[in-house]
Amino acid sequence: MDYKDFSTNCFGELEKLQDNLNMSYDINSYTRWDYDQPSGIITLSKADKIINFRYYQVGTYSTELKTWKWSWDNENTSKNVAVDIEKIKGFGIANEYENLINGEFTSYEEIGWELSSICCNLIGGIGVYRPVIDHLKIHLVLRSN
């Protein structure tokens, strides 16, 4: 299967996961987030509720530089929450999918959702949460709460 077809299929599956995640937890209603890389826990909170999820970090998209950076190639990401390089990069090498092989590359803004959907497909997860810090959009795959 070519990359475009594969990523489109994965994104369709992610849309279903996101619908289920939002129906179950209404994550878009939370007004604050805090994540702790050593523990691999992200906490979402609002005035009357707090919820925690285990997560792994797929990577970041810089709106300033217009680049994607995989978590496995980011010295600021703890290895215990970085996406599984063997599964992702290994799959990319086996299938000649450049976006899964290169640690950092120039790209379009939606690449984070595309690559997060591929990670959910290959590694698993219950959905994606994407917080923003300054010019960085951080893509996290939620595993469980």
Side-chain angles (χ1 to χ4, degrees):
M1 182 181 304
D2 73 4
Y3 177 80
K4 184 173 171 41
D5 289 340
F6 177 66
S7 65
T8 298
N9 288 343
C10 290
F11 191 77
E13 291 301 312
L14 178 61
E15 287 180 317
K16 293 174 193 170
L17 288 174
Q18 290 299 109
D19 287 345
N20 289 337
L21 182 66
N22 287 322
M23 282 183 11
S24 298
Y25 301 103
D26 192 23
I27 64 167
N28 294 327
S29 71
Y30 290 83
T31 55
R32 181 176 167 83
W33 62 274
D34 296 287
Y35 70 139
D36 181 64
Q37 289 190 22
S39 70
I41 301 285
I42 183 168
T43 300
L44 305 178
S45 57
K46 56 185 176 180
D48 61 338
K49 192 168 184 180
I50 295 173
I51 191 166
N52 295 302
F53 292 95
R54 296 194 88 30
Y55 76 93
Y56 62 87
Q57 186 169 321
V58 177
T60 56
Y61 179 79
S62 169
T63 57
E64 187 176 271
L65 301 173
K66 308 289 188 237
T67 57
W68 171 260
K69 186 167 189 68
W70 281 100
S71 63
W72 50 261
D73 191 48
N74 190 334
E75 63 281 352
N76 296 316
T77 302
S78 296
K79 297 303 174 206
N80 65 309
V81 296
V83 71
D84 187 337
I85 186 174
E86 285 81 23
K87 287 186 181 174
I88 300 305
K89 192 172 183 180
F91 186 82
I93 291 168
N95 291 282
E96 298 179 359
Y97 295 165
E98 290 298 316
N99 287 350
L100 306 185
I101 299 169
N102 299 315
E104 184 174 13
F105 53 92
T106 302
S107 193
Y108 45 92
E109 196 162 334
E110 293 77 22
I111 191 72
W113 288 103
E114 179 182 305
L115 298 176
S116 294
S117 72
I118 290 171
C119 288
C120 279
N121 178 276
L122 296 177
I123 300 172
I126 61 172
V128 174
Y129 188 71
R130 200 224 46 219
V132 178
I133 300 175
D134 298 324
H135 65 93
L136 291 178
K137 295 184 175 190
I138 305 165
H139 288 263
L140 309 172
V141 171
L142 305 179
R143 300 194 89 142
S144 62
N145 70 331

